[in-house]
């Protein structure tokens, strides 16, 4: 059950043990996976820490299975950390007719 919660959490973008615990109360899907049980965030964190290597291998298997089923498209994403200056002043973001009015105020 804990593994199911972690895998579904990773698949839906819920990574925090506290958020996973909260989801077992709020989300029908998480509640179903947990069989209407609500594991403590410490239990989830300890389980993840204790079985990290095994979880990594199982998660790769889940991704490969999802790709074979056609529900996952795998690719490469590159992030270089470049910072780009943005001009986000309210005057540059407003249409021309609104700029004239906002400058008068």
């Amino acid at each position: 059950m804990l593994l199911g919660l972690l895998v579904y959490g990773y698949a839906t973008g819920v990574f925090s043990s506290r958020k996973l615990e909260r989801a077992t109360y709020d989300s029908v899907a998480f509640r179903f996976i947990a069989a209407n049980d609500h594991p403590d965030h410490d239990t989830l964190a300890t389980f993840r820490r204790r079985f990290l290597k095994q979880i990594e291998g199982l998660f790769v298997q889940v991704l490969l299975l999802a790709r074979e089923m056609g529900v996952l498209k795998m690719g490469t994403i590159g992030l270089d950390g470049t910072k780009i200056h943005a001009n986000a002043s309210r005057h540059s973001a407003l249409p021309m007719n609104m700029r004239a009015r906002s400058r008068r105020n």
Side-chain angles (χ1 to χ4, degrees), residues 7-62:
V7 169
Y8 187 73
Y10 287 151
T12 57
V14 181
F15 304 105
S16 162
S17 298
R18 291 180 189 272
K19 288 182 181 178
L20 286 168
E21 177 187 3
R22 172 67 22 217
T24 63
Y25 291 97
D26 299 340
S27 168
V28 174
F30 280 98
R31 187 172 239 171
F32 179 80
I33 293 168
N36 212 23
D37 195 9
H38 310 286
D40 186 60
H41 63 274
D42 282 335
T43 303
L44 288 161
T46 302
F47 176 80
R48 184 185 343 221
R49 205 175 315 113
R50 183 173 177 194
F51 297 107
L52 184 62
K53 289 295 178 194
Q54 294 87 345
I55 291 170
E56 287 175 1
L58 291 171
F59 193 68
V60 169
Q61 290 179 15
V62 168

Side-chain angles (χ1 to χ4, degrees), residues 3 7-8 11 55-69 71-72 74:
L3 180 62
V7 169
Y8 187 73
I55 291 170
E56 287 175 1
L58 291 171
F59 193 68
V60 169
Q61 290 179 15
V62 168
L63 292 176
L64 292 173
L65 182 62
R67 186 178 68 178
E68 286 177 19
M69 294 173 59
V71 295
L72 172 70
M74 297 177 76

Side-chain angles (χ1 to χ4, degrees), residues 87-96 98-99:
N87 186 358
S89 74
R90 76 177 205 174
H91 296 293
S92 67
L94 294 174
M96 286 302 269
M98 295 292 291
R99 287 183 197 169

